[in-house]
């Protein structure tokens, strides 16, 4: 089966929608469109709505990447986390722990970028100036053990102009599935805005995609971010690379080989 990619951004769509088409249902009869050209027998009704339909190479996924940004407020606060949570910095020496947290919070959404880096390159990324990564740690009140349940990473000086501090990027924000709906995401966004303010940034940016939690875009918009750019990302399915088990992210079709 060839997975076909259909990208449709219509005037009545509230947001761009990415569809994977495996073909029409056998029970649905599609009548030829009057707009179809008689000189183009290969045309189909789908082409009346899409500028282009692309066959993806085997083993590949495609997603709509959404870039967002917002101005850093003149006044920010550094809100406290709930009593049983705290942030711990992740430095170059903590690369193994970083990788484990990244995979833990990213498996259900097929986060892959940091998992592709070898030990040396990951250490280099974590040691770069202006890069600040943290593990969100929860203390279990029953056994007093500490568990890493989130990843919070912000990059400063990410503007287009070199050597400037006018922009910061919230590179990664992820929570364990069991820690959602507790207000932690909102607190971490406010912490990111405060960190950007302290670093001298006037804007905070981030990006998400349609492989991420479907609630992410609405959450970011609720926090004040606006969509600034869209891009189409085609990637090798991380499950085929052995980064995650084949059963991971069952809501995302496994790219055929």
């Amino acid at each position: 089966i060839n997975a076909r990619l259909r990208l449709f951004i219509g005037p009545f769509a509230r947001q761009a929608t990415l569809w994977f088409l495996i073909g029409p249902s056998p029970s649905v009869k599609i009548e030829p469109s009057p707009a179809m050209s008689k000189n183009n027998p290969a045309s189909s009704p789908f082409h009346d709505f899409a500028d282009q339909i692309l066959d993806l190479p085997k083993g590949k996924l495609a997603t709509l990447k959404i870039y967002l940004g917002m101005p850093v407020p003149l006044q920010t606060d550094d809100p406290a986390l709930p009593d049983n949570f705290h942030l711990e910095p992740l430095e170059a020496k903590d690369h193994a722990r970083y990788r484990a947290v990244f995979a833990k919070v990213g498996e259900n959404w097929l986060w892959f970028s940091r998992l592709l880096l070898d030990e040396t390159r990951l250490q280099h990324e974590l040691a770069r100036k202006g890069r600040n990564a943290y593990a969100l740690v929860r203390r279990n009140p029953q056994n007093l053990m500490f568990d890493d349940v989130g990843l919070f990473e912000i990059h400063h000086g990410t503007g287009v102009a070199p050597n400037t501090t006018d922009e910061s990027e919230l590179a990664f924000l992820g929570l364990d599935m069991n820690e959602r709906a507790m207000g932690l995401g909102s607190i971490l966004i406010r912490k990111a805005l405060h960190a950007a303010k302290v670093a001298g940034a006037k804007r905070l940016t981030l990006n998400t995609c349609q492989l991420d939690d479907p609630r992410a875009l609405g959450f970011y918009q609720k926090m004040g971010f606006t969509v600034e750019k869209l891009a189409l990302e085609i990637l090798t399915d991380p499950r085929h690379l052995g980064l995650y088990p084949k059963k991971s992210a069952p809501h995302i079709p496994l790219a055929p080989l």
Side-chain angles (χ1 to χ4, degrees), residues 92-105:
K93 62 182 176 59
D94 305 309
H95 60 89
R97 181 182 178 189
Y98 177 97
R99 193 184 299 273
V101 178
F102 186 96
K104 181 177 183 178
V105 302

Side-chain angles (χ1 to χ4, degrees), residues 124-202:
H124 173 74
E125 285 296 315
L126 293 174
R128 289 179 62 179
K129 182 180 179 180
R131 303 283 175 103
N132 302 109
Y134 303 87
L136 178 65
V137 182
R138 175 176 55 81
R139 180 176 64 86
N140 189 322
Q142 296 180 348
N143 56 21
L144 302 182
M145 298 293 290
F146 291 90
D147 299 315
D148 291 338
V149 295
L151 179 66
F152 174 67
E153 183 173 346
I154 186 167
H155 300 169
H156 300 298
T158 56
V160 176
N163 302 317
T164 60
T165 59
D166 63 335
E167 191 169 289
S168 295
E169 179 188 9
L170 183 55
F172 296 104
L173 175 59
L175 296 172
D176 183 90
M177 297 293 287
N178 295 323
E179 311 301 330
R180 294 171 180 244
M182 299 174 57
L184 294 170
S186 300
I187 292 175
L188 292 175
I189 289 289
R190 290 167 57 197
K191 281 186 171 292
L193 287 167
H194 181 72
K197 178 69 175 179
V198 171
K202 296 180 175 63

Side-chain angles (χ1 to χ4, degrees), residues 65-80:
K65 204 168 183 70
I66 307 163
Y67 294 85
L68 304 98
M70 68 174 291
V72 174
L74 295 177
Q75 298 292 330
T76 63
D77 64 334
D78 187 14

